[in-house]
Amino acid sequence: MPELPEVEMQRRYVDAHALGQEIGGVGAADAGVLSGVTRKDLRRALVGQRFVTTHRHGKWLFVGTDCGPWLVMHFGMTGELLYYGDGAFPTHVRFRVDFRNGARLAFIDPRKFGAISLTDSPSEFLAARRWGPDPTHPGFDREAFRAVLRGRTGCLKSVLMNQRVIAGIGNLYADEMLFQAGLHPEARAADLKRSTVDALFDAMQAVFAASLAVGTDYASLPGQFLLRYRDFAGVCPKCGRTLASAVVGGRTTRYCARHQRRRS
DNA sequence: AATTCCTCCTGATAGC
DNA sequence: TGCTATCAGGAGGAAT
C-alpha cells in the first residue's frame, strides 16, 4: 500500500489529527521497527513535546516537534497510522504515541518492514542515505526528470523504483505510469527519446494527482487505470486483453503487451 | 558506480 | 476442516 500517494495521505492524516497535543508517553515499541533508536531515545525525544509540522519525501514521513528532533517514519509494505481514543484496541501496533489528552497515535505494521527513527534534520537524514528527489516537490520538472534518468542503463521499471534515482515510486505506481505512458517495463531507460521521457514525466504526475484526488481509493479511479484491474480482472482497461505478467526488478509486473512498447 | 539478488516478517489466500 | 505452499505494494546489504 504505501507508496508516495499513500504516504502523502498518512501525512495529511497526521496534520488533521495529531498536531498540537502534548505527548505524555510513548509505548509498545517493537524493537523490530526501531531503526537506530531505542525506546529510551524515543521517550526522551518526544515526551513533553507537541507535533507541530509534517514533511514527506518519497515514502518517508517526518513529523516535527516544537523543540525536539523529528520523528521519522517509513511504512514498509503494511504500515499505517491510526489516531484513536478509549475503547479501541488496534492490533499489530509497533509503536505508539500517547497524548496527554487521552488520544493515541499508533504505528500499525503487521509485517514489520516499516521503520521508526529520529533525526534533527530531515534534509540531512535524506542526504545521508543519498535519496533521490521527490517527484512531486516544487522544482522537480521535466528537465529534472531527464537529468535523473540520464545515463541509466537498467530496465525502465527498475530505474523508476530505485529510490536513489527518484523517491516515492513503488511496484504498483511504476506499473501504472508505464501503462499510462505506453512503455514496456523492460524498456531501457537510456534508449528513450526526449519526448518519450517527457511523456513519462507527465504520466507520472497525472497518476499521482489522480490517486490523491480519490484519496488512494483505487476503485474510485477512472476506468483507464491499471490499478483498478491488476488484482482481480487482469485485463487491459483499454483493449480488454489479458494482461501480461512478468518479474521485473524482482517484482510482479503487469502490463499490456499490445499497448506498452520497448522502444519509443 | 550501477545493477541484481537475497533476505527480513507475518498474514491472506489457494490448493490439496 | 486443516495442513502446507506461495505470495504480498520495501529497502538494506552483499555480490556481480
Side-chain angles (χ1 to χ4, degrees):
Chain A
M1 171 166 137
E3 300 182 43
L4 188 154
E6 283 78 18
V7 179
E8 175 61 18
M9 294 300 292
Q10 298 292 311
R11 190 191 70 75
R12 295 176 187 182
Y13 186 80
V14 172
D15 277 356
H17 296 104
L19 301 186
Q21 302 150 59
E22 187 178 349
I23 296 167
V26 299
D30 184 316
V33 301
L34 301 186
S35 177
V37 292
T38 63
R39 294 177 181 86
K40 197 172 173 184
D41 294 334
L42 288 162
R43 204 157 46 234
R44 195 177 303 156
L46 298 176
V47 172
Q49 303 288 319
R50 297 163 197 269
F51 293 134
V52 293
T53 188
T54 54
H55 176 68
R56 182 193 53 72
H57 186 105
K59 303 173 192 171
W60 290 96
L61 178 60
F62 301 90
V63 184
T65 57
D66 45 3
C67 51
W70 296 67
L71 176 64
V72 184
M73 292 187 267
H74 193 288
F75 295 91
M77 290 172 87
T78 55
E80 63 177 329
L81 292 171
L82 181 70
Y83 179 84
Y84 62 105
D86 290 341
F89 301 94
T91 53
H92 308 303
V93 174
R94 307 306 184 195
F95 173 63
R96 205 184 67 225
V97 174
D98 300 338
F99 298 107
R100 292 214 191 276
N101 62 11
R104 292 172 165 177
L105 183 69
F107 181 85
I108 295 169
D109 183 17
R111 209 170 154 187
K112 297 205 274 193
F113 281 6
I116 294 288
S117 193
L118 292 166
T119 184
D120 289 327
S121 160
S123 60
E124 286 174 21
F125 181 93
L126 295 164
R129 287 166 175 71
R130 297 184 295 113
W131 245 229
D134 181 295
T136 62
H137 286 179
F140 193 86
D141 54 13
R142 285 175 163 188
E143 171 52 34
F145 188 54
R146 282 184 226 126
V148 298
L149 293 190
R150 201 163 290 146
R152 293 286 165 175
T153 57
C155 286
L156 189 49
K157 176 167 175 176
S158 299
V159 173
L160 291 173
M161 288 197 304
N162 183 340
Q163 303 300 300
R164 294 200 157 87
V165 173
I166 184 169
I169 304 169
N171 193 38
L172 293 194
Y173 284 88
D175 278 2
E176 184 67 55
M177 62 187 66
L178 290 168
F179 174 74
Q180 296 296 334
L183 289 168
H184 195 284
E186 290 177 306
R188 295 280 137 183
D191 291 346
L192 302 182
K193 290 187 302 190
R194 174 180 166 134
S195 60
T196 305
V197 174
D198 286 349
L200 180 59
F201 174 85
D202 293 347
M204 171 175 70
Q205 298 297 351
V207 166
F208 287 148
S211 183
L212 283 169
V214 296
T216 68
D217 172 22
Y218 301 157
S220 298
L221 286 166
Q224 295 286 78
F225 279 77
L226 198 61
L227 285 167
R228 285 188 63 187
Y229 300 91
R230 62 175 293 139
D231 283 338
F232 49 101
V235 297
C236 172
K238 290 182 181 170
C239 67
R241 280 192 175 192
T242 302
L243 291 171
S245 195
V247 175
V248 180
R251 308 224 84 87
T252 302
T253 300
R254 300 210 194 283
Y255 64 101
C256 176
R258 179 175 172 190
H259 288 119
Q260 296 179 246
R261 299 298 182 188
R262 286 173 189 272
R263 301 199 148 270
S264 179

